[in-house]
Amino acid sequence: MSLAKITQVKAPALAVPGDDIDTDRIIPARFLRCVTFEGLGEHAFRDERTGPDGQDRPHPLNSEQAAQIAKDKKGVMVVGFNFGCGSSREHAPQSLWRFGFTALVGGSFAEIFFGNSTALGVPCVTLSKDDLAELNLFVQKNPGTEVAIDLEKMNVSAGDKTWKASIPASARESLISGKWDPIADLLEGSSAIEKTAQSLAYVAK
Amino acid sequence: MAKTLFQKVWEAHTVRQLPNGQTQLFIGTHLIHEVTSPQAFGMLRDLGLKVKYPHRTFATVDHIVPTNELKEPYSDPIAQEMIEALRKNTKDYGIRFFDTSTGMQGIVHMVGPEQGITQPGTTIACGDSHTATHGAFGAIAFGIGTTQVRDVLATQTLSLSPLKVRRIEVNGKLRPGVYAKDVILHIIRDLGVNGGIGFAYEYAGSTFDNFSLEERMTVCNMSIEGGARCGYVNPDEKTFEYIKGRPHAPKAADWDAAVVRWKSFASDPDCKYDDIKVYRAEDIRPTVTWGITPGQAIFIDEKMPALELLNAADRATAEDAYKHMKLSPSTPIKGTKVDVAFLGSCTNGRISDLREVAKYLKGHKVSPTVKAIVVPGSQLTAIQAVKEGLDKVFIDAGFEWRGAGCSMCLAMNPDKLVGDQLCASSSNRNFKGRQGSQTGRTVLMSPLMVAAAAITGQVSDAREIFKV
Ligand code: SF4
């Protein structure tokens, strides 16, 4: 299986501010009533975007820039801290990715969300608190401008500014070597897997 | 070298190092349910892969199962489609499915322990963030995404990095009316909802030693609410006692060998931890949440925090929380009007929870302004409760007695909040919209506190209502 090597993502940025944004907010549970991930994109942040009266609410995903991102399937979401906490539903990163987001920049990410995103080839990089605030300010002042995430140099840049970014080494390696879907590597370990299985009394029947 | 349980289990299950630097970790036990598995089976089919060890995956159905409608087809055609997809997938691949007709169906985190599938020193993965529940038995158990469900099906392994271990010690005796639920809400309140990122939590101390396995499950269950993907308690005699005789427990001669092996996984007394936190049981009081994250919690007799006393990082979320909850800073939460009382979920839907509430409930009536439902987490729990006559106690008091499932813990089945109803809930998440209404409000608490709220129609101190 050959996957694209993801070394750089350059795309228009959209800020979705707030800390502790959980996956129930990213994709409400009723949209998990499905047997495929198709169609989840349009429901990203549904209950934040649409009021109980069915009317649109002011939300970054309802903006013109978001519409452009959805059209081009190319966008960077700028988020806060502990983004993607709560439920392990892969439907959450799936919905953002299907909406059009190809990378995220934030203060920190919940682990399961981070792993799910990486396995989709969606890098989630973090900036320091101050740098993130600066990026946020920049994005809000210059809606729709491009932000570049460079996984080789490990930085994020926008306008004439560049900030130092972080991502766990293993995720970075997987993305830049085009092995972010781990299945090929895992399958290769077949004989070692069987050896481990044999060594575990509760597994070896 | 002295090691933690986490390190020992990790080493015993390490297959090899992967090129990206992660560990290929063997997952001895894989649990699946209808929500996060269909796409994984789809990917498996697309790639033309087989299930490597079908006998190490176990399935049940919980999230979408209606709790007041036992006959199929369900009135929600999508729910019907999901249960049928799971039936087909488990049949096609030879996976054991604890279907609704077996009498053993229930919330996935209850079925594993009940069947004796959950065992010490094992690795357990499930496409569900509350998988840490199984850590109560001294297993390394964690939630995974759907792509990872595919990985486990195809290879029985995952690509993972090890976690650090934080020992959380609680010592002493809990005061009357204070429960395991209060302990974990207190810990999350203190360490924060992201305090556990990168950590496995090892719960220890005399309070945990004295806890039953069900109480330990309540605490481990909510590790993820504190940001920790995995939480566990070292196995002891109580653990072995709980497992003994269950359908999947080792039998006869295998039993003794298993116990020896299980004991060997417990953390060594002189092992090193990456962090240690210590609490005194007697300092903990009945705890309730007031906001939209499980960390926004206070003791029942405290006032909700003033915004200016919060640090800047927490203030924005708190403001949002007060707005959503329609509550005001610096006022007591006690006395807040309650519309719905929900007793159930993988946190607190076990037999001991039902017994404890029933013990106090006799002679009380649910307030006419409250809709109160009790949902046993599994069919076995329901059967046991009926045998003990607990269902009658609840029904006499005015609760609706339901079938097994996730129910109102999350909005994937007919049990939902309506409008801005406020729910006193024994579940684990108070996120906006979690219980099915965008404007619905959730206050998390222990089962007995839920019963107190049901009776008074207000957030109440169960110790006063029931003279605990
Ligand atoms: S009871 Fe709630 S938390 Fe537990 S598995 Fe079901 S939906 Fe998830």
Side-chain angles (χ1 to χ4, degrees):
Chain A
M1 213 169 28
S2 72
L3 298 167
K5 293 187 163 80
I6 300 174
T7 52
Q8 221 205 29
V9 179
K10 197 167 174 212
L14 188 79
V16 177
D19 294 338
D20 303 321
I21 291 185
D22 58 76
T23 53
D24 275 80
R25 273 159 81 175
I26 299 171
I27 186 84
R30 64 180 181 281
F31 299 114
L32 274 53
R33 289 162 48 259
C34 57
V35 291
T36 75
F37 289 130
E38 270 158 46
L40 284 178
E42 59 184 288
H43 296 303
F45 284 101
R46 175 52 65 211
D47 288 350
E48 314 255 299
R49 289 163 61 195
T50 314
D53 51 3
Q55 298 296 311
D56 273 1
R57 288 172 159 178
H59 188 275
L61 261 69
N62 286 338
S63 65
E64 246 173 71
Q65 292 79 35
Q68 196 60 42
I69 287 170
K71 191 159 154 264
D72 302 340
K73 295 283 174 263
K74 219 174 97 180
V76 173
M77 187 179 276
V78 181
V79 300
F81 284 78
N82 199 26
F83 187 82
C85 60
S87 157
S88 62
R89 60 189 70 164
E90 191 163 313
H91 308 65
Q94 281 277 355
S95 76
L96 299 184
W97 179 63
R98 282 165 194 267
F99 186 97
F101 292 98
T102 39
L104 280 80
V105 181
S108 63
F109 294 91
E111 280 167 41
I112 304 178
F113 178 89
F114 177 86
N116 287 341
S117 300
T118 308
L120 273 175
V122 176
C124 298
V125 303
T126 58
L127 297 184
S128 76
K129 203 171 170 194
D130 292 344
D131 291 354
L132 183 65
E134 228 183 302
L135 171 65
N136 249 311
L137 204 68
F138 179 87
V139 171
Q140 277 164 27
K141 274 203 194 136
N142 307 278
T145 39
E146 287 201 329
V147 165
I149 299 167
D150 190 324
L151 290 173
E152 282 175 325
K153 299 204 183 96
M154 277 323 293
N155 62 34
V156 170
S157 50
D160 54 6
K161 285 242 150 99
T162 299
W163 302 275
K164 191 176 156 310
S166 309
I167 191 169
S170 56
R172 174 175 178 262
E173 178 58 32
S174 302
L175 290 161
I176 62 180
S177 62
K179 289 185 156 190
W180 32 272
D181 182 334
I183 191 72
D185 276 343
L186 293 177
L187 285 166
E188 257 173 40
S190 192
S191 60
I193 294 171
E194 281 148 30
K195 219 170 121 223
T196 307
Q198 284 303 321
S199 73
L200 296 164
Y202 73 103
V203 174
K205 269 217 286 203
Chain B
M1 203 185 76
K3 290 177 185 151
T4 62
L5 177 140
F6 183 89
Q7 291 162 333
K8 294 185 202 183
V9 175
W10 189 271
E11 283 170 17
H13 290 78
T14 294
V15 172
R16 59 183 192 133
Q17 292 315 118
L18 291 168
N20 69 1
Q22 288 196 302
T23 304
Q24 183 168 11
L25 193 77
F26 194 89
I27 302 303
T29 301
H30 184 210
L31 306 170
I32 58 172
H33 61 61
E34 76 283 13
V35 183
T36 54
S37 70
Q39 296 87 351
F41 283 105
M43 297 177 202
L44 210 63
R45 287 194 179 94
D46 287 349
L47 294 170
L49 296 169
K50 292 206 293 264
V51 176
K52 189 158 176 75
Y53 294 107
H55 74 288
R56 293 314 305 166
T57 294
F58 303 88
T60 190
V61 56
D62 46 13
H63 289 63
I64 53 104
V65 174
T67 61
N68 55 355
E69 183 189 351
L70 299 178
K71 270 248 238 350
E72 292 181 41
Y74 298 140
S75 38
D76 175 1
I78 306 178
Q80 189 62 35
E81 186 187 349
M82 290 172 82
I83 195 171
E84 277 166 15
L86 188 56
R87 274 185 195 130
K88 175 168 166 39
N89 288 329
T90 49
K91 186 156 169 276
D92 284 0
Y93 291 99
I95 291 164
R96 177 80 189 271
F97 178 28
F98 296 99
D99 202 344
T100 48
S101 58
T102 61
M104 293 179 276
Q105 169 266 339
I107 305 173
V108 65
H109 310 308
M110 295 190 53
V111 172
E114 282 173 351
Q115 296 300 325
I117 293 166
T118 302
Q119 295 178 9
T122 62
T123 48
I124 303 179
C126 173
D128 194 286
S129 60
H130 290 102
T131 307
T133 312
H134 306 265
F137 293 80
I140 296 305
F142 45 82
I144 57 178
T146 294
T147 303
Q148 290 176 307
V149 172
R150 174 207 64 186
D151 294 346
V152 180
L153 289 171
T155 71
Q156 207 66 34
T157 63
L158 288 170
S159 169
L160 291 168
S161 301
L163 297 166
K164 293 180 282 184
V165 181
R166 171 180 291 145
R167 180 176 164 95
I168 300 180
E169 226 176 89
V170 185
N171 293 305
K173 206 167 163 301
L174 291 174
R175 293 178 186 278
V178 181
Y179 296 97
K181 181 63 157 286
D182 302 305
V183 171
I184 185 62
L185 285 173
H186 184 71
I187 291 169
I188 297 167
R189 170 189 182 179
D190 187 54
L191 300 179
V193 288
N194 53 12
I197 293 184
F199 284 96
Y201 280 176
E202 174 177 306
Y203 303 102
S206 65
T207 310
F208 281 95
D209 294 342
N210 292 325
F211 269 169
S212 69
L213 265 290
E214 301 207 339
E215 291 172 301
R216 293 177 192 177
M217 281 191 256
T218 298
V219 174
C220 289
N221 174 272
M222 288 189 69
S223 299
I224 189 72
E225 270 63 57
R229 196 172 184 177
C230 157
Y232 66 88
V233 178
N234 282 303
D236 60 10
E237 291 303 325
K238 281 187 180 173
T239 317
F240 313 143
E241 196 53 42
Y242 185 101
I243 298 170
K244 199 166 187 174
R246 292 183 184 265
H248 287 261
K251 305 261 157 19
D254 289 347
W255 173 260
D256 293 335
V259 171
V260 172
R261 204 173 55 241
W262 291 344
K263 280 185 180 159
S264 74
F265 279 104
S267 293
D268 297 320
D270 47 351
C271 66
K272 292 254 181 315
Y273 294 95
D274 299 289
D275 191 28
I276 298 181
K277 297 276 177 216
V278 182
Y279 298 90
R280 295 194 318 177
E282 65 202 48
D283 293 341
I284 303 173
R285 307 207 289 273
T287 301
V288 297
T289 59
W290 54 267
I292 52 168
T293 82
Q296 291 172 321
I298 49 170
F299 294 141
I300 181 65
D301 44 9
E302 281 181 288
K303 286 189 175 139
M304 292 177 270
L307 286 171
E308 48 293 2
L309 292 182
L310 296 170
N311 66 44
D314 293 337
R315 208 172 300 151
T317 313
E319 270 176 276
D320 193 17
Y322 280 123
K323 207 167 120 217
H324 180 82
M325 295 299 291
K326 304 187 172 150
L327 295 171
S328 315
S330 311
T331 62
I333 186 135
K334 207 168 114 176
T336 304
K337 190 175 169 294
V338 166
D339 307 294
V340 177
F342 169 57
L343 177 48
S345 88
C346 59
T347 315
N348 279 125
R350 280 176 280 271
I351 191 71
S352 54
D353 299 310
L354 305 187
R355 281 182 192 141
E356 182 68 14
V357 174
K359 198 166 94 190
Y360 291 100
L361 201 58
K362 279 193 199 110
H364 289 280
K365 285 273 181 248
V366 169
S367 158
T369 60
V370 173
K371 175 190 171 74
I373 65 172
V374 47
V375 187
S378 67
Q379 292 181 333
L380 285 177
T381 301
I383 293 165
Q384 181 62 30
V386 169
K387 218 190 216 162
E388 296 176 24
L390 305 181
D391 57 330
K392 291 228 173 49
V393 178
F394 282 104
I395 292 165
D396 287 349
F399 275 85
E400 290 176 35
W401 178 260
R402 295 294 189 82
C406 294
S407 181
M408 209 182 268
C409 178
L410 101 170
M412 289 193 66
N413 55 68
D415 301 333
K416 289 185 178 77
L417 296 184
V418 182
D420 69 350
Q421 279 182 327
L422 188 139
C423 179
S425 182
S426 70
S427 57
N428 46 44
R429 286 189 174 141
N430 53 342
F431 299 153
K432 280 182 182 175
R434 170 76 180 181
Q435 294 190 290
S437 164
Q438 207 172 339
T439 47
R441 299 169 292 160
T442 305
V443 178
L444 301 176
M445 56 184 78
S446 73
L448 196 64
M449 292 282 285
V450 170
I455 288 161
T456 58
Q458 305 177 346
V459 176
S460 303
D461 189 337
R463 297 171 302 181
E464 294 164 10
I465 308 304
F466 298 116
K467 318 255 176 315
V468 178

